[in-house]
Amino acid sequence: MTDKATIKHLAGLSRLQFSEEELERYSRDMENIFNYANLLKKIDTSKINPSAHAIPLQNVFKADEIKPYQNIEKILKNAPQVEDHSFVVPRILGD
């Protein structure tokens, strides 16, 4: 059972201040949480395998593959400067 003294003690450790109404409410809330946790303990999970996630996870990213583009000349014709089928850009890093 979580009484107001326990909540007051935890509040003191957390450097929080609660009014009497808040102490009463939090005490009641904690009691409900512990009751629910005790209810969950009664569930038979002996036939359920432990897991880290509720649903199976799978990689949704596609493979990183280099694919040739068919109309590269059409793309390069808009570039201000081209060299060996590549865009020429100003250097952004130092020497």
Side-chain angles (χ1 to χ4, degrees):
M1 176 166 177
T2 307
D3 56 6
K4 288 195 302 186
T6 303
I7 297 297
K8 194 179 280 187
H9 176 70
L10 293 173
L13 292 174
S14 304
R15 299 183 188 271
L16 297 173
Q17 294 181 347
F18 296 136
S19 67
E20 281 299 315
E21 291 175 8
E22 289 172 324
L23 287 173
E24 186 71 35
R25 184 178 54 187
Y26 294 143
S27 173
R28 198 172 42 246
D29 289 347
M30 290 296 287
E31 187 69 27
N32 288 335
I33 291 170
F34 289 136
N35 287 339
Y36 189 71
N38 286 330
L39 183 67
L40 293 176
K41 286 181 184 176
K42 295 178 182 175
I43 298 173
D44 181 19
T45 58
S46 61
K47 295 179 182 174
I48 299 173
N49 292 329
S51 66
H53 301 279
I55 57 173
L57 297 179
Q58 62 184 14
N59 186 0
V60 296
F61 296 112
K62 66 179 184 179
D64 189 14
E65 301 173 6
I66 298 174
K67 295 181 180 177
Y69 188 74
Q70 301 300 319
N71 201 354
I72 196 165
E73 297 299 328
K74 184 177 178 183
I75 293 173
L76 293 176
K77 78 175 185 179
N78 295 321
Q81 190 174 355
V82 175
E83 184 177 313
D84 295 331
H85 284 89
S86 300
F87 294 105
V88 176
V89 296
R91 174 179 233 143
I92 58 171
L93 300 176
D95 296 327

